[in-house]
């Protein structure tokens, strides 16, 4: 089965073509226009998706060596995400489906992130039950997943304020690192001293809940007290003032965020008895998080699945893989309505 997957929930316009569990192409166009604003501007994002989507889909098909006529279905992200951005992808996909007569499969963005770990692997390889740590720019949550259908997903806990990626981006912005700052903090941290600064790790007493706004406030005060950094300074001036301090600061921030994620993910496995952990979403590309989780999981006899780096951040390949998972289970016939948010009830273990 050949599928075209389209993703446009935030600031990446992405499309991929898959055959079964394998990807034949995976094309992404990242929007640069948000850098000047230090975050995604929704109106700019939807316009940029509109401009990019035709070329991105054409590239995905041509790189795969597949024509529109050879496809069996079209998959698209329904949500959660920015409504204007979602509508661009969904309208485009609806148009293609109407033109070709192919089935249109709506996919949940967060479920797709988790399925990125199973690109190239069959559904019967998925070891239920497992704990999923989903860490992106918009979400930080722990789930317990006991089977293949959406009814088998239980929300253990999530962030009360900023998501982990959002914390990286906002703190990075205070340090003049541009947007998105997560990958920059990751790279800088690799040459910094992780023990020089000890920044707060919050809510460790509450196993499944996260909060990163305290860390953000702490950093704002710290940067002001130590380096005279105030919020209206230009990014270049910020970088200039922090200079050689940046790697150590980045290393400290990196430890504070990733350690909370690591500790809670391991704890969730121990509490629920799950022996498999899946980590997904943009922040799962983080080098320190990947390395420390690998050794912690080894210590605790937990099997870790993290997608390869290029499948961690938003991409069309994960949309194809989740759509294929839904088709195999006959669960692909869902209403094609976009949604900005996804509500789930928490489960107490
Ligand atoms: O999943 P994603 O691509 O988009 C959303 O669904 O939000 O995640 C994007 C987030 C951004 O906040 C970005 O800074 C963060 O993932 N990110 C990282 C790294 N790569 C991307 N954070 C830390 N380390 C990284 N290497
Ligand atoms: Zn995402």
């Amino acid at each position: 089965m050949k599928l075209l997957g389209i993703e446009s929930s935030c600031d990446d316009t992405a499309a991929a073509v898959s055959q079964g569990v394998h990807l034949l192409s995976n094309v992404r166009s990242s929007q640069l226009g948000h850098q000047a604003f230090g975050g995604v501007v929704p109106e700019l994002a939807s316009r940029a998706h509109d401009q990019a989507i035709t070329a991105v889909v054409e590239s995905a098909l041509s790189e795969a060596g597949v024509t529109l006529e050879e496809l069996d279905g079209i998959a698209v992200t329904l949500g959660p995400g920015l409504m204007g951005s979602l509508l661009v992808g969904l309208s485009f996909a609806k148009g293609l489906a109407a033109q070709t007569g192919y089935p249109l499969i709506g996919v949940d963005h967060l479920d797709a992130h988790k399925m990125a770990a199973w690109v190239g692997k069959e559904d019967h390889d998925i070891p239920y039950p497992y704990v999923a740590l989903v860490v992106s720019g918009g979400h930080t949550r722990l789930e317990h997943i006991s089977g293949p259908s959406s009814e088998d997903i239980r929300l253990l806990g999530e962030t009360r304020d900023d998501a982990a990626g959002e914390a990286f981006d906002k703190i990075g912005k205070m340090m003049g690192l541009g947007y998105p700052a997560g990958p920059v903090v990751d790279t800088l941290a690799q040459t910094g001293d992780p023990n020089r600064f000890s920044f707060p790790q919050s809510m460790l007493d509450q196993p499944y809940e996260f909060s990163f706004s305290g860390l953000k406030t702490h950093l704002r005060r710290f940067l002001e007290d130590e380096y005279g950094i105030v919020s209206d300074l230009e990014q270049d001036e910020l970088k200039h003032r922090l200079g050689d301090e940046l790697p150590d600061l980045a290393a400290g921030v990196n430890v504070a965020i990733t350690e909370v994620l690591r500790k809670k993910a391991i704890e969730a496995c121990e509490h629920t008895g799950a022996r498999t952990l899946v980590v997904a979403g943009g922040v799962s590309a983080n080098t320190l998080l990947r390395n420390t989780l690998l050794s912690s999981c080894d210590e605790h006899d937990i099997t870790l699945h993290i997608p390869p780096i290029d499948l961690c951040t938003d991409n069309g390949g994960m949309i194809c893989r989740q759509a294929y998972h839904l088709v195999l289970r006959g669960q692909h016939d869902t209403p094609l309505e976009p949604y900005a948010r996804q509500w789930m009830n928490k489960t107490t273990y």
Side-chain angles (χ1 to χ4, degrees):
M1 164 173 273
K2 288 195 180 80
L3 294 174
L4 167 70
I6 297 174
E7 154 64 38
S8 71
S9 65
C10 191
D11 59 341
D12 290 313
T13 317
V17 176
S18 64
Q19 176 154 29
V21 298
H22 300 286
L23 296 186
L24 303 178
S25 67
N26 200 11
V27 175
R28 173 166 41 206
S29 159
S30 297
Q31 303 176 0
L32 304 175
H34 307 286
Q35 279 176 354
F37 302 94
V40 178
V41 182
E43 178 61 24
L44 290 183
S46 31
R47 283 173 195 232
H49 282 305
D50 192 43
Q51 279 164 7
I53 195 157
T54 307
V56 167
V57 168
E58 279 173 359
S59 303
L61 287 167
S62 74
E63 280 187 26
V66 170
T67 62
L68 203 52
E69 291 70 40
E70 291 169 315
L71 291 174
D72 298 294
I74 295 159
V76 65
T77 308
L78 294 178
L82 299 170
M83 193 48 85
S85 294
L86 290 165
L87 279 169
V88 175
L90 182 56
S91 312
F92 190 90
K94 278 185 175 172
L96 268 187
Q99 178 194 335
T100 55
Y102 297 145
L104 182 56
I105 305 151
V107 166
D108 180 89
H109 181 82
L110 301 180
D111 289 346
H113 266 307
K114 287 170 267 172
M115 280 307 282
W118 271 274
V119 167
K121 296 181 205 158
E122 301 294 336
D123 270 31
H124 55 70
D125 291 334
I126 305 175
Y128 300 108
Y130 68 84
V131 163
L133 170 69
V134 182
V135 273
S136 69
H139 294 84
T140 295
R141 53 163 61 174
L142 278 164
E143 297 174 352
H144 182 266
I145 298 166
S146 56
S149 87
S150 50
E151 289 85 58
D152 299 318
I153 305 174
R154 298 276 174 272
L155 178 65
L156 298 173
E158 60 192 332
T159 182
R160 295 192 177 173
D161 37 58
D162 294 344
E166 200 176 355
F168 271 114
D169 295 338
K170 287 180 175 170
I171 293 171
K173 185 182 173 193
M174 292 179 212
M175 304 197 305
L177 302 181
Y179 175 85
V184 187
V185 172
D186 182 353
T187 310
L188 275 171
Q190 291 175 40
T191 57
D193 174 2
N195 299 314
R196 178 163 162 216
F197 299 112
S198 176
F199 297 131
Q201 297 175 23
S202 44
M203 297 194 86
L204 290 178
D205 54 330
Q206 306 207 25
Y208 306 136
E209 301 292 303
F210 299 87
S211 167
F212 292 105
S213 67
L215 176 66
K216 191 179 63 186
T217 309
H218 180 92
L219 256 296
R220 180 170 293 125
R221 291 208 184 109
F222 180 82
L223 292 173
E224 186 172 348
D225 293 348
E226 298 293 319
Y227 306 99
I229 303 278
V230 286
S231 58
D232 54 358
L233 287 182
E234 294 293 324
Q235 296 274 297
D236 286 347
E237 175 60 22
L238 286 172
K239 262 195 195 159
H240 175 71
R241 284 203 197 183
L242 293 173
D244 294 346
E245 302 287 88
L246 274 173
D248 290 352
L249 285 168
V253 170
N254 205 27
V255 167
I257 297 176
T258 59
E259 272 299 276
V260 170
L261 300 175
R262 181 190 66 80
K263 288 174 185 167
K264 285 174 187 269
I266 298 290
E267 223 169 302
C269 290
E270 296 297 342
H271 280 182
T272 61
R275 302 326 298 158
T276 300
L277 173 66
V278 173
V279 186
V283 178
S284 60
N286 184 275
T287 313
L288 182 68
L289 182 65
R290 295 173 82 89
N291 291 341
T292 53
L293 273 174
L294 205 62
S295 43
S296 277
C297 283
D298 197 36
E299 248 168 57
H300 289 81
D301 211 14
I302 296 165
T303 308
L304 175 68
H305 293 268
I306 309 190
I309 305 270
D310 61 328
L311 294 178
C312 288
T313 45
D314 293 350
N315 66 90
M318 68 187 199
I319 305 304
C320 289
R321 185 62 186 91
Q322 172 64 5
Y324 185 58
H325 174 74
L326 293 174
V327 170
L328 288 180
R329 301 198 44 75
Q331 289 183 331
H332 53 290
D333 212 6
T334 44
L336 292 163
E337 294 298 326
Y339 47 91
R341 300 202 60 164
Q342 184 203 49
W343 301 103
M344 279 178 93
N345 290 327
K346 275 177 209 166
T347 301
T348 322
Y349 270 81

